[in-house]
Amino acid sequence: MPADQPADPVPDEPSDGTANLPAEAMNPDGEWEDMPHFALQLGQDAIIGDYKVTVIAIELDADAAMAAASPRNPPPYGQYVMATVSVTYRGTSEGTPLNDLIVSYPATDNYIYDETSCAAVTARPVMSVGTLALDETAEYDVCLDVYPEAIGQPRVLVHDLTTEGWEAKLWSAE
């Protein structure tokens, strides 16, 4: 493979760099039957629908980052969690990450907090990405407002809202 060609994305099964999570850890009440049971490490690529997605960072205490991003950001109802995501569109026409993808945090209270829970704006919001053409890449930050006592492992899910069943992959910093 030429040096400038990216490596193939990680498959949806355990392999080097992924962690096998017990089903009960990700699906304690049986509600999320399609929850991924394998976590990718930060920086690993995965194909989700028409996107190659990479979660680059997860910041579990992002209150200061959100305050620095905008003086108009309100204080969190709980605690801000921030994820940095890179996406490359690989579909046949155009992709809009704001409409196609959603990032969420699976918390210890068995609730999945998604980016709609956050009233604050990051310094690099997904809404500023716009439409992506084939092989175009964008990087942005996603804010999540999570109940502080429910924050556990540094992990996030990325769902493709355009696929049947909202296909998802999980990334973990552990």
Side-chain angles (χ1 to χ4, degrees):
M1 175 177 359
D4 61 340
Q5 186 174 353
D8 288 335
V10 176
D12 188 24
E13 58 187 43
S15 63
D16 290 341
T18 62
N20 187 356
L21 300 173
E24 61 273 8
M26 290 303 303
N27 190 17
D29 59 4
E31 180 179 348
W32 296 89
E33 293 181 16
D34 63 342
M35 185 69 70
H37 296 289
F38 304 103
L40 301 164
Q41 295 299 310
L42 296 181
Q44 285 188 294
D45 299 337
I47 298 298
I48 306 174
D50 287 338
Y51 292 88
K52 179 176 77 172
V53 179
T54 308
V55 175
I56 298 167
I58 302 169
E59 186 176 346
L60 293 180
D61 186 0
D63 290 359
M66 298 313 301
S70 173
R72 293 186 176 151
N73 277 341
Y77 289 103
Q79 179 175 313
Y80 288 132
V81 172
M82 188 170 66
T84 301
V85 180
S86 173
V87 298
T88 301
Y89 183 69
R90 298 171 54 121
T92 58
S93 59
E94 295 179 328
T96 309
L98 176 65
N99 298 332
D100 299 343
L101 304 172
I102 192 162
V103 177
S104 57
Y105 178 81
T108 62
D109 61 358
N110 300 332
Y111 188 77
I112 304 221
Y113 296 82
D114 66 40
E115 59 193 275
T116 64
S117 69
C118 185
V121 177
T122 66
R124 301 179 312 157
V126 66
M127 68 184 106
S128 67
V129 170
T131 301
L132 300 178
L134 178 63
D135 291 329
E136 194 172 4
T137 299
E139 188 175 300
Y140 55 92
D141 298 315
V142 175
C143 172
L144 306 137
D145 195 342
V146 180
Y147 184 63
E149 286 77 18
I151 295 175
Q153 298 175 0
R155 60 188 182 190
V156 294
L157 287 159
V158 179
H159 290 268
D160 184 329
L161 302 175
T162 68
T163 60
E164 186 175 334
W166 291 12
E167 179 184 356
K169 302 287 186 207
L170 174 72
W171 280 263
S172 176
E174 292 189 339

